[in-house]
Amino acid sequence: EPEVTQTPSHQVTQMGQEVILRCVPISNHLYFYWYRQILGQKVEFLVSFYNNEISEKSEIFDDQFSVERPDGSNFTLKIRSTKLEDSAMYFCASKGGRQGEKLFFGSGTQLSVL
Amino acid sequence: EDKVVQSPLSLVVHEGDTVTLNCSYEVTNFRSLLWYKQEKKAPTFLFMLTSSGIEKKSGRLSSILDKKELFSILNITATQTGDSAVYLCAFSTDSWGKLQFGAGTQVVVTP
């Protein structure tokens, strides 16, 4: 079965540093997402992306966050100046169609901000 | 404010037992309810439910949605140790596919 792949699996960074989390969605999918899960808490929606622009974002997704699809395969999440509270597992997800199709999740990037 | 509540928070069963997980919701503009299994990392898709009263089955797992009483049930029969995981319920309210997740139910199946 096709997979969403994420790199790196773990990222450790110092507070205030920029990080870029990378994702390769399933190749024929059109809708892309980032979610995060702080340890012991719910999976939370960050942002959705379609047709090369953000379609929806949550309150968490402030000016420190940005997403990009730099080429036909990669989808990245950038955090400009990391904070301690950004430490979480970040999941990329994708789906094919507009109407109610299931999301496929990647295996996640564990981000630790020290 | 939309919300989804899963119960129980956790349970421990023996291999062979049947488990029933609950997901209740209060959602405006409900479109679909999804169940995911989360073992170590990535949530993996189990079911998507949009219509009330229609059971979906996959092997030993089944799920049903009640849109009148606003809940869904996930059943696992003849549990195996490989069923140990966190089971997540999520709903969708728009066509963009954004999901809002419940806190999950931790299931531990002991040999």
Side-chain angles (χ1 to χ4, degrees):
Chain A
E1 187 170 82
E3 289 184 341
V4 176
T5 57
Q6 290 186 242
T7 56
S9 56
H10 293 86
Q11 174 90 48
V12 180
T13 190
Q14 295 291 324
M15 190 169 56
Q17 295 296 304
E18 174 183 287
V19 294
I20 297 176
L21 309 183
R22 302 181 190 279
C23 170
V24 179
I26 294 172
S27 62
N28 61 345
H29 282 185
L30 301 175
Y31 295 80
F32 314 115
Y33 307 83
W34 284 101
Y35 287 77
R36 78 173 187 188
Q37 187 174 29
I38 294 170
L39 186 64
Q41 297 187 22
K42 293 182 183 183
V43 176
E44 301 174 290
F45 168 78
L46 293 178
V47 66
S48 58
F49 191 87
Y50 171 73
N51 199 27
N52 286 318
E53 61 183 23
I54 290 173
S55 49
E56 191 171 0
K57 60 183 180 179
S58 71
E59 292 177 354
I60 302 167
F61 195 88
D62 61 22
D63 292 345
Q64 293 300 310
F65 291 86
S66 62
V67 289
E68 195 176 40
R69 188 157 164 81
D71 52 44
S73 59
N74 291 285
F75 180 52
T76 62
L77 174 69
K78 181 193 290 186
I79 309 174
R80 288 189 184 81
S81 178
T82 50
K83 309 185 191 84
L84 295 176
E85 55 264 36
D86 293 328
S87 295
M89 177 72 85
Y90 287 80
F91 293 109
C92 176
S94 69
K95 77 180 181 93
R98 183 182 175 94
Q99 298 299 332
E101 295 180 16
K102 64 186 182 184
L103 265 64
F104 291 82
F105 284 83
S107 56
T109 293
Q110 180 65 57
L111 177 65
S112 298
V113 182
L114 306 178
Chain B
E1 183 181 328
D2 294 340
K3 65 177 183 180
V4 56
V5 177
Q6 293 189 243
S7 63
L9 290 179
S10 65
L11 72 163
V12 181
V13 298
H14 294 295
E15 266 189 318
D17 288 350
T18 294
V19 299
T20 299
L21 310 181
N22 298 283
C23 174
S24 62
Y25 61 92
E26 293 179 23
V27 173
T28 53
N29 301 316
F30 175 90
R31 289 183 67 93
S32 59
L33 187 145
L34 295 89
W35 285 96
Y36 282 84
K37 177 182 181 182
Q38 187 176 29
E39 294 179 82
K40 293 183 180 176
K41 290 189 177 179
T44 53
F45 174 81
L46 295 175
F47 299 108
M48 184 173 77
L49 304 156
T50 54
S51 300
S52 203
I54 299 174
E55 186 182 48
K56 293 215 171 178
K57 292 197 72 164
S58 177
R60 296 176 294 103
L61 277 68
S62 64
S63 184
I64 196 162
L65 175 67
D66 187 325
K67 291 171 78 172
K68 183 180 175 186
E69 300 298 328
L70 307 182
F71 74 92
S72 175
I73 285 173
L74 176 69
N75 279 313
I76 311 173
T77 59
T79 51
Q80 302 170 359
T81 55
D83 295 326
S84 296
V86 175
Y87 290 83
L88 301 172
C89 169
F91 62 85
S92 168
T93 57
D94 61 39
S95 59
W96 296 112
K98 165 188 153 186
L99 297 180
Q100 295 185 52
F101 283 86
T105 294
Q106 171 84 58
V107 174
V108 175
V109 182
T110 62

